[in-house]
Amino acid sequence: MSTLTKKIGLLFGFLLSTSCAMVAAADLTEDSLQYENSLHDSYREQWVATWTKPGTASAENTNIFENQTIRQVINVSSGGQRFRIRISNAFGVQPLKVGAAQLAIQASGAAIIPGTNRPLKFSGLPTISIPAGAVAVSDPIDLSVATQAKLSISIYFPGNTGPATYVEGINKNTYITGTGNFTGALNLPGVDPVAAGFFLSAVEVSARKNSGVVVAFGDSVTSGATATNWPAFLF
């Protein structure tokens, strides 16, 4: 075999091996990109309920508020860094005017931890009118909250609410004030809790795309009407 033929053969072999390496590298890069994209998708933000209690109504509903603040304390099942709430007028017979709303971490009772209160807005506005039969979702707020922490959600209703969308028979964790807007108050002295919740239907947390939710169906015991709260034990 001539020297020229050997050189051509070596050159062809080199080019062939280089081409194979480039194809393998391209395949590896494509696989890596697909893997990275799958990881990105699994961490993509979604909103999940960290607390929720659907509202109800009845013919005997006499829960009507006017120029009053309601502060409800709830237990979050999952903590996080971003939250939003849902206010329900699902069983209302008239538009529901929300004059102000705030979310904070509970200290104890009706008191909140100073510096944790965050004003809530709705499409950038501090007030909203919710039509009868509708639900309003607040804009997200940033707040670092641990799993199983307790949040206080305060909502001020400047006008007559009409019969409230509510949940009765739950543990005493709702505080109803006298006349005035007390959404930003650090405490509500002299206000005793009642065993019902009003208008607040859900608190949602920003979570990873692959996060899930377990829903407990049952009677008033499931909703927390007694100290034996089996969903909490399940959690």
Side-chain angles (χ1 to χ4, degrees):
M1 183 180 293
S2 66
T3 303
L4 179 60
T5 303
K6 290 181 179 179
K7 289 182 178 180
I8 293 175
L10 289 173
L11 177 61
F12 177 76
F14 173 75
L15 292 176
L16 180 62
S17 64
T18 304
S19 175
C20 292
M22 289 175 64
V23 171
D27 291 341
L28 181 61
T29 301
E30 185 176 351
D31 290 342
S32 300
L33 287 174
Q34 290 178 350
Y35 177 70
E36 290 179 1
N37 288 336
S38 67
L39 285 179
H40 176 72
D41 288 341
S42 67
Y43 281 85
R44 190 172 297 166
E45 178 184 70
Q46 69 168 346
W47 291 98
V48 298
T50 188
W51 175 93
T52 183
K53 289 190 183 298
T56 59
S58 68
E60 298 78 23
N61 186 3
T62 58
N63 300 298
I64 298 174
F65 307 96
E66 184 172 4
N67 193 15
Q68 291 174 278
T69 301
I70 295 175
R71 176 170 291 177
Q72 185 167 331
V73 180
I74 62 99
N75 286 80
V76 299
S77 57
S78 296
Q81 303 295 322
R82 301 185 76 209
F83 292 84
R84 68 184 188 184
I85 72 169
R86 292 180 179 265
I87 300 177
S88 175
N89 193 26
F91 297 95
V93 297
Q94 65 188 48
L96 176 68
K97 179 66 180 292
V98 175
Q102 288 201 18
L103 181 149
I105 299 177
Q106 182 205 33
S108 62
I112 62 175
I113 297 176
T116 66
N117 52 313
R118 302 287 190 273
L120 295 169
K121 293 184 178 182
F122 304 85
S123 298
L125 300 175
T127 65
I128 189 173
S129 180
I130 307 172
V135 176
V137 182
S138 74
D139 299 338
I141 57 96
D142 294 327
L143 181 64
S144 181
V145 179
T147 295
Q148 290 191 299
K150 291 185 177 182
L151 294 179
S152 291
I153 293 87
S154 304
I155 308 173
Y156 169 60
F157 303 101
N160 187 300
T161 63
T165 296
Y166 73 106
V167 179
E168 62 180 350
I170 62 176
N171 288 332
K172 292 184 176 181
N173 58 2
T174 299
Y175 301 84
I176 303 171
T177 73
T179 301
N181 178 1
F182 296 95
T183 54
L186 294 180
N187 200 357
L188 303 175
V191 179
D192 295 324
V194 299
F198 304 96
F199 301 111
L200 180 68
S201 64
V203 177
E204 298 176 336
V205 62
S206 173
R208 294 189 303 182
K209 184 181 178 181
N210 59 359
S211 299
V213 176
V214 175
V215 181
F217 288 95
D219 55 15
S220 58
V221 174
T222 304
S223 298
T226 68
T228 307
N229 184 354
W230 70 262
F233 287 112
L234 174 64
F235 177 80

